[in-house]
Structures are given as structure tokens and as C-alpha cells.
Amino acid sequence: MRSYVGRHLAATDLDFAELALGTPPELWLGVEGETDEERAAREDAARDILADNPEMTDDLIRLAAGIVHEHPELFDVVPLPRPTGRRRPSRKGAAA
């Protein structure tokens, strides 16, 4: 079964995100290992897009809120134990 958004084939979750955003998610999230120059260029492009489409911020917030509403399990939070303030004994000088 194929999924289409308009006339565009969406084969992966990233395809759906790109079609929903109108831009590749990497533009907003970055990519692992990008250089400082690549990050600066990506951020400049993102600023230009937002300047040309000021309503995009509201659209993104609505999209994110819809995802949270439809898939709350993605945001399950597990409480972590609070530190007690006690420190563990140092292992320096311990026999190897």
C-alpha cells in the first residue's frame, strides 16, 4: 500500500514530516557531524524561510500539538531518583 500526500509519495516518517513542514526536517534539526559553517548556512536558510513565511511558526506548533495529542506515548516521562547529596567513596588508590 502506498501513501500519498497530495501528489507526493510518502514512503517514510521523514517523508511525511517533510511534506507536512514543506521543508526537510534536517533544516530545523541539523545533521550529525555538520561543521560550524554548515550549521551557520542551515540556520541562515531557516531564518530566511521563517522571514518569508511568518505563519509557519504557528503551523509547526499546531503540527507538534497534534502529534502530542495523537501519540502521548511518545512523551512518556520516567522520573529519575533524586540525588541524596551523599557522594560515593573514591576509588582512587584501590587495588586493581
Side-chain angles (χ1 to χ4, degrees):
M1 185 172 144
R2 295 184 179 172
S3 297
Y4 288 87
V5 177
R7 295 187 296 171
H8 302 281
L9 174 64
T12 68
D13 292 344
L14 286 177
D15 291 342
F16 280 106
E18 184 169 346
L19 290 168
L21 295 171
T23 61
E26 295 85 8
L27 176 69
W28 309 103
L29 303 174
V31 293
E32 190 173 330
E34 72 183 353
T35 66
D36 290 342
E37 289 175 348
E38 290 168 331
R39 180 177 39 76
R42 178 179 54 77
E43 290 173 348
D44 284 343
R47 276 191 286 278
D48 289 345
I49 289 170
L50 290 175
D52 291 343
N53 303 294
E55 71 284 348
M56 187 176 203
T57 304
D58 293 336
D59 294 342
L60 293 174
I61 291 169
R62 275 192 291 280
L63 176 65
I67 291 169
V68 170
H69 180 73
E70 292 175 20
H71 301 283
E73 71 279 2
L74 295 174
F75 303 94
D76 287 344
V77 177
V78 177
L80 298 175
R82 292 189 177 270
T84 61
R86 292 182 281 159
R87 292 181 168 219
R88 292 184 175 176
S90 174
R91 296 189 51 94
K92 287 184 182 178

